[in-house]
Amino acid sequence: MFMLQVGIIGAGRIGKLHADHIQHMRNVRVRAISDVYIAGLDTWASEMGIPVVTSDYRDLLNDPEIEAVFICSPTSTHAAIIKEAAQAGKHIFCEKPVSFSVDTTERALEAVKKAGVKMQVGFNRRFDHNFKKARDVVQAGKIGAPHLLRITSRDPEPPPAEYISKSGGLFMDMTIHDFDMARYVMQSEVVEVYAQGANLIDPQIGELNDIDTAVVNLRFANGALGIIENSRKAVYGYDQRLEAFGSEGCVTTNNDRASTAIVATADGVQMDKPLYFFLERYTQAYIQEVEDFVRAILHDGPIVCDANDGLQAERIARAAKESLLSGRPVKLEHESAPMQHQ
């Protein structure tokens, strides 16, 4: 069986998460990992069976045995590394967002197109069993013509201020997953965005020119409407729900919990709280997105979440920020508004 050799650029939480998952897969192997902060990385890499550790990601791009790279470094570095990786003929898995600038992302994706390599963007929620089922139901026409989409996405607690300052803001960091999910489930481009936001949780977030609470209204090319609501703090856990309503019915996804048991007594009805954070909630989705990426390379198949999907989610996030600042809806132009089924 052919073994795909990959390199991981960035040994932070997400880079190590991918490395751990890959170690349990049969047809892919992490040959090398790079990070500018290399102290202590040798020991971890040795325990993981990763033979090459370097502080220079170009060592991975210059390695002829490495066919694909996972870009898990800070967002500010993504676009430049994508261009270099494409020029080196490496297939690319890049964590979201591709960049903080639509123009920068477009230039990076041109390099990918020119090189003819495959690129996947890390919108892992597409691979979640609940959301994928909802998308499949909508695509199969089981709810008829889609009319309304509602996405609820609330974190259990805000990230540190240091992270907020480099995140690109709530829309680019957090809601961007929901923007991608909206396109994925409805199979239609977003043509208008109206966003409202507030600071209701942590004043320091406001001091960093960001918001912690938001409602975003969407209009799709197919005429349907969407609502996304976000909060940086849900005291009961990681709240991830979706509802798609159409002319012939409705599909709803609820939170994953430690168990589905519901205890009903004279004192009340109790159930487990939602799983606490994304690493618990989306473990299988992270595994599945890597398996699909590897399969697409080994069998020259389609990418489920490709470079254009990353670009369109960024365009919606940018429009949401513009709408928030202007207080008005913002229209998005598309060369061809209807999406191709993926």
Side-chain angles (χ1 to χ4, degrees):
M1 180 176 61
F2 184 72
M3 179 75 68
L4 183 72
Q5 304 268 5
V6 304
I8 295 177
I9 301 171
R13 177 170 60 184
I14 196 67
K16 288 181 175 178
L17 179 75
H18 286 312
D20 181 56
H21 290 160
I22 288 171
Q23 298 303 80
H24 301 285
M25 299 177 188
R26 293 185 302 167
N27 55 355
V28 58
R29 172 176 177 259
V30 180
R31 172 171 168 77
I33 190 163
S34 72
D35 198 282
V36 291
Y37 302 106
I38 202 169
L41 191 56
D42 284 334
T43 302
W44 172 84
S46 177
E47 293 172 353
M48 294 292 292
I50 300 172
V52 179
V53 177
T54 176
S55 60
D56 188 348
Y57 68 85
R58 292 180 180 88
D59 292 338
L60 279 60
L61 304 185
N62 293 329
D63 188 333
E65 294 193 38
I66 291 176
E67 294 188 64
V69 292
F70 284 67
I71 302 176
C72 307
S73 51
T75 300
S76 59
T77 69
H78 287 180
I81 298 175
I82 287 170
K83 290 179 186 177
E84 293 182 53
Q87 290 165 2
K90 310 298 185 186
H91 300 294
I92 300 162
F93 181 104
C94 182
E95 285 298 332
K96 62 81 194 171
V98 175
S99 80
F100 295 135
S101 162
V102 171
D103 289 341
T104 300
T105 295
E106 287 178 335
R107 289 193 294 271
L109 301 193
E110 278 298 317
V112 172
K113 183 178 180 181
K114 183 178 179 181
V117 297
K118 295 182 184 294
M119 178 172 165
Q120 181 169 320
V121 180
F123 286 124
N124 60 292
R125 295 183 191 180
R126 287 188 177 218
F127 302 86
D128 171 71
H129 59 116
N130 294 319
F131 294 142
K132 186 179 185 303
K133 176 66 175 181
R135 187 261 190 177
D136 290 347
V137 165
V138 174
Q139 188 176 15
K142 293 182 179 179
I143 66 166
H147 290 174
L148 291 168
L149 175 72
R150 177 181 291 275
I151 297 174
T152 297
S153 181
R154 303 167 183 161
D155 285 351
E157 60 183 23
E162 181 183 4
Y163 177 86
I164 291 284
S165 66
K166 300 175 182 177
S167 70
L170 182 137
F171 295 137
M172 193 65 75
D173 169 55
M174 179 180 176
T175 325
I176 196 167
H177 278 290
D178 307 312
F179 295 144
D180 179 68
M181 187 54 51
R183 294 179 65 250
Y184 176 65
V185 171
M186 299 297 272
Q187 285 294 289
S188 182
E189 295 291 0
V190 172
V191 296
E192 187 176 86
V193 182
Y194 177 51
Q196 293 182 293
N199 288 113
L200 303 175
I201 296 166
D202 186 347
Q204 192 172 20
I205 294 176
E207 293 168 6
L208 294 169
N209 297 314
D210 198 11
I211 55 174
D212 52 40
T213 307
V215 175
V216 183
N217 290 277
L218 306 174
R219 185 180 297 275
F220 296 90
N222 63 6
L225 303 176
I227 301 170
I228 297 171
E229 56 153 298
N230 294 131
S231 174
R232 285 288 195 185
K233 185 177 182 179
V235 296
Y236 50 84
Y238 196 40
D239 194 354
Q240 302 279 290
R241 290 172 284 141
L242 179 149
E243 177 186 87
F245 171 82
S247 59
E248 302 296 330
C250 177
V251 57
T252 302
T253 68
N254 291 312
N255 289 306
D256 276 357
R257 305 175 188 275
S259 79
T260 59
I262 299 175
V263 181
T265 69
D267 296 325
V269 178
Q270 293 183 321
M271 67 179 71
D272 287 341
K273 293 191 293 185
L275 298 176
Y276 186 71
F277 209 29
F278 70 93
L279 293 178
E280 298 170 83
R281 173 65 176 80
Y282 291 117
T283 296
Q284 189 56 45
Y286 278 114
I287 294 170
Q288 191 63 53
E289 69 174 351
V290 173
E291 289 182 341
D292 279 27
F293 176 62
V294 171
R295 188 179 302 112
I297 295 171
L298 294 180
H299 302 286
D300 194 24
I303 294 290
V304 173
C305 187
D306 64 19
N308 180 63
D309 293 315
L311 173 63
Q312 297 310 322
E314 285 180 37
R315 293 184 70 222
I316 302 169
R318 185 59 58 195
K321 184 62 179 289
E322 183 182 339
S323 174
L324 177 70
L325 296 176
S326 68
R328 298 189 300 271
V330 173
K331 293 186 181 299
L332 284 161
E333 300 295 331
H334 295 274
E335 291 182 8
S336 178
M339 291 176 60
Q340 297 295 319
H341 287 305
Q342 299 169 351

